[in-house]
Amino acid sequence: MDALVTSLVAAVVVLAVAVIVVRARRRVTSRAAGQPAESPRGGPLRLTPGDRVRIREREYAVSATIRLVEGDWSWVQHLLDDDSGTRHRLSVEDGPELELVLWTAEPGATVTPGAPTIELGGRRYTWAETGQARYTAIGETELPSTGTMRYHDYQSGGAARLSFEAYGEEGWRVARGELLHPADLTIRPTPDAR
């Protein structure tokens, strides 16, 4: 009987050690595969102008931040500069799960929002949501520091997005977006923030 109890205890100890080793390896592997470390100031919601962010293989400087509020919902958009002349932005929504979308401006697009589906660039997008939010902006936005923004959002497939935004009384800005995984981002805050 004592031998059976000893064998059972040894098996439980071996199993516990195996579980600990597997979990530790998963953490190390996810970091090695590109899992970003949390920013010292709280991740993508806390980016500020001057910070740098690497999204996949491209480096961007944060040139401005726009914080939006609609009812009890809020989100952030960081305007990104990569010296290409193309407008990019990173939207960050912290709901039940963190949602990150990298947007690229489509200044030549002739489509307008409102229809249940929209075709652009060979892809069909389906309406997802419409609304109006208040915003505050800091950095190089070419916008007043506060105001309102109207939007229409569309989706296609799992990760493709299409957005229409109008700040104040301006016309629609069109952008195509791609849903990102948090591991796609690496944040480098400004040196004075460390």
Side-chain angles (χ1 to χ4, degrees):
M1 188 71 158
D2 287 334
L4 180 61
V5 170
T6 303
S7 296
L8 187 56
V9 168
V12 168
V13 168
V14 168
L15 180 60
V17 168
V19 167
I20 290 169
V21 168
V22 167
R23 285 187 178 174
R25 282 188 179 167
R26 282 186 184 162
R27 282 189 204 127
V28 169
T29 303
S30 68
R31 284 286 164 98
Q35 180 78 18
E38 185 68 14
S39 166
R41 291 179 296 140
L45 281 169
R46 303 274 188 251
L47 285 169
T48 61
D51 288 345
R52 298 194 67 79
V53 63
R54 185 173 191 80
I55 301 174
R56 296 185 177 139
E57 299 303 315
R58 180 169 269 170
E59 182 99 6
Y60 301 90
V62 178
S63 60
T65 295
I66 302 171
R67 299 195 181 280
L68 299 120
V69 177
E70 181 180 14
D72 59 355
W73 186 253
S74 64
W75 68 100
V76 179
Q77 295 198 48
H78 302 291
L79 306 187
L80 305 176
D81 183 10
D82 67 353
D83 295 326
S84 70
T86 302
R87 292 177 130 178
H88 300 281
R89 62 185 160 89
L90 173 67
S91 65
V92 184
E93 294 184 27
D94 191 18
E97 291 185 23
L98 185 68
E99 182 178 281
L100 305 167
V101 180
L102 177 63
W103 299 94
T104 302
E106 292 285 338
T110 58
V111 293
T112 57
T117 62
I118 292 178
E119 300 259 349
L120 181 65
R123 185 181 289 268
R124 179 183 294 256
Y125 295 88
T126 303
W127 176 83
E129 62 184 328
T130 300
Q132 180 171 313
R134 294 182 329 276
Y135 76 83
T136 56
I138 58 169
E140 302 170 21
T141 64
E142 302 175 3
L143 296 171
S145 60
T146 62
T148 59
M149 184 269 284
R150 297 170 291 134
Y151 67 90
H152 290 269
D153 289 340
Y154 290 77
Q155 297 180 2
S156 178
R161 303 287 189 265
L162 179 65
S163 133
F164 296 85
E165 295 181 344
Y167 287 85
E169 299 302 315
E170 74 173 15
W172 293 110
R173 297 181 182 189
V174 182
R176 283 201 273 185
E178 181 181 0
L179 190 63
L180 301 173
H181 186 277
D184 293 332
L185 254 67
T186 304
I187 297 168
R188 292 194 353 229
T190 53
D192 62 338
R194 291 183 181 151

